[in-house]
Amino acid sequence: MKLSSTAILLAIILVDQCLDAQARVSAAERRKTQEIKTRKKNKQKNKKKKNGSTTSYGLGLMAGSFPAGTVMGSIMRGFQQQKVNIDGAERPSMEKFAYTSGSSGGNFPNMIFAYATNTTSDEILDANGISDPSKLTKEYLENTPQTSMFSAFDSPLILSLALAYFESFLTGVPFWSNFVRYQFLKPFGISDEPPSTTRDDVKATPIFLTSIFSPLETYPASLFIIGKLLQQNLNKSIDMLTEFYDNSTNMVFMPAGSDIVWDLIRESQFQYPLPVLMTADEIIIPAKKLNMTYGIVGNITSDPFLFEPMFAPPDEMQPDSEGPFTMSKMLAAGTALLPIFRAGGQYPEELMKALDSPLVLDVPTTSGDKRSMVLADGGYND
């Protein structure tokens, strides 16, 4: 009996769902063990602080889609290979960082490095592989070790894309969440159940940048309006930006709190994404107390959004209809490229409409209610 490709994909998805359900059951037991480890880690950190070691280092992993993921993973690999003295012992430099923070494509290696299971930091970063360019061969470059994070960027995307589309069709889970789970999480044993701590040889707390983009009721029309306003005002203000221009990189670098940035936001009628920081156990909106007033989008109006800086467990902002917050949603929110592609118009709108299911948080307001807000790629805040 011959099976169609659709039947095979459905069978794979059903088996995958069963395995995920089993994983969620055992995750509760693992979580208890991890909580004990977390308490031990915190005690060690507090002990260091008491002994006068208070300097913390962070590693920022920049945006740039899949190429940035490969480049940022390579930088992490270099740090892993270089040794430094930590508490009298020679250790990989990656262990010196207290935080790793990713934006857009930088979130891929950030997630895999911190949460890959049944592996080591050396293995996931291929730290023992060839680094001398003179010794690299075509065969070596064509055979990325499947145990390293770089295999996720080398592997064909077609199977993950197909599985993600069919599962989204069957379950209603956003396509991009399913895609990142199949391509970047499952190959490394990363469960959708948020862990209470990282792997033992990971010393940093990983942070993932995303953006509050617009109220759900105005999406996706707001996507095109905000993109257009920002581009128009960036073009008008190009003379103001020349002092921040870097000739070596052909890029503009501005302090996030500079007057120029706020002038651009004001000129864009404050239709501007707000940064959101996410960890496995906390969502942080670091903006000042704001009253966001959204313009009319077509014939749709949206009430003002008044909120204050906030810190909350992810499940407290998770829509009830979606169930518990997942690791795939966190990675998807930090790398949500589809809204950028859609706003840019590079791909047919009908295709983007079929794939771009909004990623939503129910964000508390100062009045005590919640607003459903759409998340977009953290690169919007770069």
Side-chain angles (χ1 to χ4, degrees), residues 133-153:
S134 66
K135 296 180 180 179
L136 292 174
T137 63
K138 181 174 179 290
E139 290 73 23
Y140 179 80
L141 293 174
E142 288 178 345
N143 292 279
T144 303
Q146 292 302 300
T147 53
S148 85
M149 69 165 61
F150 302 105
S151 63
F153 301 100

Side-chain angles (χ1 to χ4, degrees), residues 6-321:
T6 301
I8 293 172
L9 285 172
L10 286 172
I12 293 173
I13 290 171
L14 288 172
V15 171
D16 180 66
Q17 292 290 325
C18 291
L19 291 174
D20 278 351
Q22 185 179 11
R24 283 193 291 271
V25 173
S26 60
E29 297 176 358
R30 290 199 307 271
R31 196 174 184 87
K32 290 180 181 178
T33 303
Q34 288 171 338
E35 286 172 354
I36 295 172
K37 292 180 180 178
T38 301
R39 286 194 291 270
K40 288 182 178 178
K41 279 188 177 182
N42 291 336
K43 285 181 181 179
Q44 291 173 350
K45 289 180 180 179
N46 291 334
K47 185 177 179 181
K48 287 182 180 180
K49 288 181 179 180
K50 288 178 181 178
N51 292 335
S53 177
T54 58
T55 302
S56 296
Y57 299 91
L59 176 62
L61 305 170
M62 73 176 193
S65 189
F66 298 139
T70 304
V71 172
M72 294 299 100
S74 300
I75 289 174
M76 296 171 81
R77 181 179 188 254
F79 277 116
Q80 184 68 17
Q81 292 171 327
Q82 298 299 314
K83 301 297 189 288
V84 294
N85 187 289
I86 301 177
D87 297 332
E90 192 175 71
R91 302 297 303 163
S93 297
M94 278 301 299
E95 295 185 11
K96 192 72 174 177
F97 294 112
Y99 301 94
T100 55
S101 178
S103 173
S104 190
N107 281 318
F108 291 121
N110 197 21
M111 172 72 76
I112 297 171
F113 175 75
Y115 295 112
T117 60
N118 302 314
T119 187
T120 65
S121 295
D122 278 346
E123 186 174 57
I124 204 69
L125 291 171
D126 190 26
N128 297 319
I130 297 174
S131 295
D132 185 346
S134 66
K135 296 180 180 179
L136 292 174
T137 63
K138 181 174 179 290
E139 290 73 23
Y140 179 80
L141 293 174
E142 288 178 345
N143 292 279
T144 303
Q146 292 302 300
T147 53
S148 85
M149 69 165 61
F150 302 105
S151 63
F153 301 100
D154 274 357
S155 301
L157 304 179
I158 186 64
L159 180 59
S160 294
L161 291 170
L163 288 169
Y165 180 78
F166 274 94
E167 186 166 335
S168 296
F169 179 78
L170 293 172
T171 66
V173 174
F175 166 79
W176 194 252
S177 293
N178 286 329
F179 168 69
V180 299
R181 180 163 57 86
Y182 279 114
Q183 187 70 21
F184 297 100
L185 302 188
K186 291 189 72 65
F188 303 102
I190 302 174
S191 170
D192 250 354
E193 174 82 14
S196 61
T197 187
T198 54
R199 206 173 51 253
D200 283 348
D201 61 349
V202 175
K203 308 305 179 185
T205 298
I207 302 170
F208 303 86
L209 175 67
T210 184
S211 308
I212 287 180
F213 196 79
S214 73
L216 178 60
E217 62 266 24
T218 66
Y219 191 87
S222 56
L223 187 69
F224 306 105
I225 290 176
I226 292 175
K228 184 178 179 181
L229 283 168
L230 290 175
Q231 188 58 53
Q232 284 177 345
N233 288 294
L234 185 61
N235 291 338
K236 281 197 305 183
S237 306
I238 200 68
D239 290 339
M240 298 162 55
L241 305 179
T242 53
E243 64 178 293
F244 299 100
Y245 186 75
D246 185 339
N247 289 306
S248 63
T249 59
N250 292 324
M251 295 181 70
V252 173
F253 296 92
M254 292 182 292
S258 72
D259 291 339
I260 291 178
V261 172
W262 287 108
D263 286 342
L264 286 175
I265 294 173
R266 193 176 296 108
E267 287 291 324
S268 299
Q269 303 168 34
F270 293 90
Q271 309 294 294
Y272 195 79
L274 295 174
V276 178
L277 303 176
M278 310 177 86
T279 69
D281 57 7
E282 192 171 43
I283 292 178
I284 303 165
I285 302 177
K288 300 176 182 178
K289 184 175 181 178
L290 289 172
N291 185 11
M292 297 290 286
T293 302
Y294 294 92
I296 298 175
V297 180
N299 60 352
I300 302 172
T301 59
S302 181
D303 294 333
F305 176 34
L306 180 61
F307 70 102
E308 296 178 313
M310 63 189 68
F311 305 78
D315 280 335
E316 289 189 11
M317 295 193 200
Q318 179 75 342
D320 293 337
S321 59

